[in-house]
Amino acid sequence: SQTIHQWPATLVQPVGSPLSLECTVEGTSNPNLYWYRQAAGRGLQLLFYSVGIGQISSEVPQNLSASRPQDRQFILSSKKLLLSDSGFYLCAWSRSFGELFFGEGSRLTVL
Amino acid sequence: AQTVTQSQPEMSVQEAETVTLSCTYDTSESDYYLFWYKQPPSRQMILVIRQEAYKQQNATENRFSVNFQKAAKSFSLKISDSQLGDAAMYFCAYRTPRGSQGNLIFGKGTKLSVKP
């Protein structure tokens, strides 16, 4: 069966520091991969998606970047965090059709 | 552009009773998917139920069922015999096979409380 894991679960970082959130999928090959952000009391906003290694599409211009160095690995990064980057980040995978499957989420607090 | 609207920010139901959460969407596509996701306090998004637009029959998963009205672009979720563990945020979501590689478009969510 397929599983998805992301880490760290919780992160507290100062403004201006770098960020790296990692997501891996097991039990499937060539998945679509997604990074979403959920601000407090709001819905989910798609940040990045990827259909293959090295293929990244950005939905919202921002302080963040994503990379897919391996088929089932998706990384969300920032060189310098802003206060507005605080939120709950969710990684997800899907086939080319049907539902998305989400990871456990990462809570980022920027101070 | 496709949009998903959940008009009920909060709902409350008595344990063992039935509650219906509303969702409407706007699209010009004829082929798409609709989902209900549950997000408990642990924050992980969990798929509750899915509906393919080409299927006329409403999807059912145990105590969860949907009322899919394609012409009206309505997709409501009915929870029967509500349990305390059903308390969570519920998100309605839409997905088209095309565009953004099948990105999910979410509504803003409905917070469901279950009273013992």
Side-chain angles (χ1 to χ4, degrees):
Chain A
S1 63
Q2 301 85 10
T3 58
I4 178 170
H5 299 287
Q6 62 177 106
W7 67 92
T10 305
L11 198 58
V12 180
Q13 293 286 101
V15 170
S17 64
L19 171 73
S20 180
L21 300 179
E22 188 166 342
C23 173
T24 59
V25 180
E26 297 177 356
T28 188
S29 59
N30 196 32
N32 290 353
L33 296 172
Y34 308 83
W35 278 111
Y36 282 85
R37 177 168 59 197
Q38 186 177 29
R42 299 176 66 180
L44 282 82
Q45 178 187 41
L46 178 66
L47 301 176
F48 302 94
Y49 69 91
S50 171
V51 298
I53 296 174
Q55 300 179 60
I56 309 294
S57 296
S58 174
E59 290 292 303
V60 181
Q62 60 214 321
N63 185 42
L64 302 169
S65 62
S67 62
R68 186 171 177 173
Q70 299 180 42
D71 181 45
R72 291 169 290 174
Q73 183 184 27
F74 205 26
I75 299 172
L76 182 69
S77 304
S78 173
K79 292 182 179 179
K80 289 185 178 182
L81 285 169
L82 305 172
L83 287 174
S84 58
D85 291 325
S86 292
F88 191 65
Y89 290 82
L90 285 159
C91 181
W93 78 272
S94 77
R95 302 178 182 89
S96 59
F97 57 91
E99 61 269 35
L100 271 63
F101 301 92
F102 288 85
E104 306 95 332
S106 298
R107 163 79 56 197
L108 171 65
T109 303
V110 182
L111 302 175
Chain B
Q2 296 91 355
T3 59
V4 176
T5 303
Q6 294 179 247
S7 59
Q8 306 152 316
E10 296 187 24
M11 292 281 286
S12 180
V13 63
Q14 202 72 32
E15 192 176 7
E17 297 294 311
T18 296
V19 64
T20 298
L21 308 184
S22 301
C23 173
T24 58
Y25 58 96
D26 187 22
T27 183
S28 58
E29 302 282 348
S30 59
D31 184 24
Y32 50 86
Y33 304 92
L34 294 165
F35 308 96
W36 279 98
Y37 281 88
K38 171 185 177 181
Q39 190 179 37
S42 66
R43 305 306 298 276
Q44 184 172 14
M45 297 285 283
I46 303 167
L47 178 68
V48 175
I49 199 164
R50 61 177 281 178
Q51 175 82 43
E52 291 92 337
Y54 68 87
K55 291 186 177 179
Q56 294 186 342
Q57 185 174 7
N58 289 325
T60 298
E61 288 287 344
N62 300 315
R63 298 183 295 108
F64 299 89
S65 61
V66 298
N67 183 5
F68 174 47
Q69 302 289 328
K70 190 173 184 179
K73 297 179 182 177
S74 172
F75 183 61
S76 61
L77 174 70
K78 185 172 80 171
I79 305 174
S80 303
D81 186 24
S82 296
Q83 301 176 359
L84 295 177
D86 294 334
M89 284 290 290
Y90 286 82
F91 292 93
C92 178
Y94 164 99
R95 183 183 186 187
T96 175
R98 294 183 292 279
S100 295
Q101 295 299 315
N103 173 34
L104 273 184
I105 299 171
F106 286 90
K108 293 188 180 300
T110 297
K111 183 178 181 180
L112 177 66
S113 302
V114 181
K115 299 178 180 179

